[in-house]
Amino acid sequence: MYADMTEKTVPYQATLEVLEHLIAFPTVSTESNLDLIDFAEQHLIRSGFSTHRLPDPSGRKAGLLARMGPDGPGGVMLSAHSDVVPVKGQDWTRSPFQLTHDGGRLYGRGTTDMKGFLASMLSLAARAATVPLQRPLMLVISYDEEVGCAGIRQMLPGYTALGWQPELCIVGEPTEMRPAIGHKGKASFLATCHGTAGHSSLAPRYVNALHLAAEFIMTLRRLQKDYAASAIQDAGYDVPYSTVHAGRMHGGTALNIVPDHAQIEFELRHLPADAPDHFLSRLQQETEGIVRSFRAEEGAAKIEIERIGSYPGLQIAADHRAVRRVAAISGSHETIKVAYGTEAGYFAQLGIPTVICGPGNMEGQGHKPDEYITVAQLGSCDQMMDRILSESGA
């Protein structure tokens, strides 16, 4: 059994140097990540890895797969995403795309989410070049995770074609180096409400699309109350039930025109037992009732619902062998569940035992102005990487 890690842990200088490079790449999801992928691929090739680049359909982005060690099943796969959230509109006190070391903290966009883990991965790759591996070591670098895990979905055919069969996947999202064994799945939707346009002086003669939208949002609120009162609960989450959230609504062109069009973007973050298809079926039934009432009163009305994105949740037993292994190599035996979504569910759906474990804290540090990771957390991640390398060479 490995000893627990301490707050005195410091990262390798090589990890800090790689992190400085990674932070300097402004890989906001709306921008290209190719410069970062070029850097990572060259680093991995120099370290003796075989690499496979997976471009996105636009050619402006790419994912990267890398492997070292013997052929065949087994080994550990480490996964990180390359994109970061925007800095626009945030009040930073230092340059977001320049690594700043100050008082035991490393500042920069992506330090916590999740270039700190990626830097530790790449630093490990260089050390792996000095060890004859008895088990394969695999690395996955994705794109567009911050926009609904879109990139990994596009990468999966290329990944599965390689036939890799790791015995463990660690997705390095920030958990303060505690093994995370679950998160909710997510499905996002767009509702388009159609009414009839007319002069506002004759408003009762027309179907106001914003009125349809308002009734639709009230329906979402009722469904949320049902989830909150449901017997399907998981106390491992801060919010123990599935949640329904409306994030944006827009419609109308002028005050004196009855709006004939309105849209609502909304989402379901669900526990495994609350299937999105069941939610959508019930919502469509409720929507039909809304539309009928408007047609009876005012004429033409319609609401269309489109699913625009989704990713699976993660659920692995706390006593699973993979969880016990991650607890040992991370130095933390406290398992948690996280509120945010990750790419982990996609790997789990491929039959790979998957655990989330990485440095930093999403709630206190990720996605915020002056995002940072502590030196101690990054050092603890390097320690975990060393233990993976030790096991891979045994």
Side-chain angles (χ1 to χ4, degrees):
M1 184 66 64
Y2 298 113
D4 287 348
M5 298 175 183
T6 70
E7 285 301 308
K8 296 180 181 179
T9 306
V10 295
Y12 286 107
Q13 182 62 32
T15 302
L16 294 173
E17 291 172 358
V18 171
L19 181 59
E20 184 173 18
H21 282 287
L22 296 179
I23 296 303
F25 296 116
T27 52
V28 176
S29 301
T30 55
E31 306 300 323
S32 172
N33 75 334
L34 293 182
D35 288 344
L36 183 150
I37 292 298
D38 288 343
F39 169 81
E41 185 167 30
Q42 292 166 14
H43 176 92
L44 290 166
I45 290 172
R46 287 195 303 269
S47 301
F49 280 72
S50 60
T51 62
H52 306 269
R53 186 183 287 229
L54 302 176
D56 83 334
S58 74
R60 296 180 62 249
K61 300 179 183 180
L64 189 65
L65 309 177
R67 179 178 175 127
M68 176 186 280
D71 294 333
V76 175
M77 185 164 72
L78 304 172
S79 175
H81 62 81
S82 62
D83 58 318
V84 297
V85 295
V87 299
K88 185 177 180 180
Q90 293 188 336
D91 186 17
W92 284 72
T93 64
R94 59 199 79 217
S95 174
F97 297 111
Q98 178 179 338
L99 187 67
T100 306
H101 189 173
D102 185 6
R105 295 178 175 183
L106 299 162
Y107 291 90
R109 173 55 88 217
T111 46
T112 279
D113 186 19
M114 59 180 300
K115 290 180 176 180
F117 184 83
L118 178 54
S120 191
M121 272 174 51
L122 294 175
S123 177
L124 166 66
R127 299 195 300 280
T130 67
V131 177
L133 297 184
Q134 303 302 310
R135 302 176 183 177
L137 177 62
M138 293 149 278
L139 309 180
V140 178
I141 305 174
S142 68
Y143 58 92
D144 282 355
E145 188 274 348
E146 297 290 4
V147 287
C149 299
I152 196 65
R153 282 199 304 272
Q154 295 172 330
M155 291 173 61
L156 284 180
Y159 169 82
T160 55
L162 294 174
W164 293 356
Q165 301 176 51
E167 62 195 12
L168 169 66
C169 176
I170 299 175
V171 176
E173 294 279 7
T175 65
E176 294 184 316
M177 298 306 300
R178 297 170 294 175
I181 59 174
H183 66 73
K184 297 174 183 177
K186 176 182 172 180
S188 54
F189 304 89
L190 175 67
T192 302
C193 302
H194 300 275
T196 52
H199 195 281
S200 61
S201 63
L202 301 173
R205 296 183 180 180
Y206 305 102
V207 177
N208 187 319
L210 284 174
H211 291 177
L212 279 167
E215 293 291 337
F216 186 85
I217 286 180
M218 292 303 297
T219 296
L220 295 180
R221 293 186 63 187
R222 287 195 297 273
L223 294 179
Q224 174 62 96
K225 288 181 179 180
D226 289 347
Y227 280 124
S230 169
I232 300 173
Q233 305 268 327
D234 187 335
Y237 293 103
D238 292 336
V239 179
Y241 45 83
S242 297
T243 59
V244 182
H245 162 70
R248 294 179 62 188
M249 181 172 77
H250 53 90
T253 56
L255 180 59
N256 63 347
I257 300 175
V258 177
D260 63 355
H261 184 270
Q263 290 189 316
I264 305 158
E265 295 177 50
F266 63 102
E267 68 176 24
L268 169 71
R269 291 183 182 257
H270 60 93
L271 298 172
D274 288 327
D277 287 346
H278 179 266
F279 164 77
L280 187 56
S281 176
R282 183 175 172 194
L283 180 59
Q284 287 174 330
Q285 290 177 357
E286 297 283 344
T287 300
E288 288 171 5
I290 296 172
V291 169
R292 280 196 302 270
S293 69
F294 274 80
R295 283 177 179 164
E297 295 175 6
E298 300 162 333
K302 182 169 64 173
I303 300 177
E304 298 172 318
I305 302 173
E306 175 188 1
R307 190 180 304 200
I308 57 176
S310 66
Y311 58 73
L314 174 71
Q315 182 167 279
I316 185 170
D319 61 354
H320 193 286
R321 182 170 62 89
V323 178
R324 296 198 303 269
R325 182 177 178 187
V326 174
I329 62 176
S330 70
S332 174
H333 297 274
E334 177 193 2
T335 60
I336 62 171
K337 295 182 178 179
V338 293
Y340 54 84
T342 78
E343 298 169 337
Y346 283 106
F347 297 114
Q349 285 187 341
L350 296 176
I352 305 169
T354 303
V355 180
I356 307 162
C357 186
N361 177 287
M362 185 69 81
E363 182 178 359
Q365 298 158 216
H367 293 205
K368 297 179 182 295
D370 289 343
E371 178 180 348
Y372 71 90
I373 192 170
T374 66
V375 170
Q377 280 279 300
L378 191 58
S380 294
C381 189
D382 274 352
Q383 274 197 357
M384 181 176 76
M385 296 299 183
D386 274 349
R387 290 166 177 174
I388 291 170
L389 183 57
S390 177
E391 291 183 353
S392 299

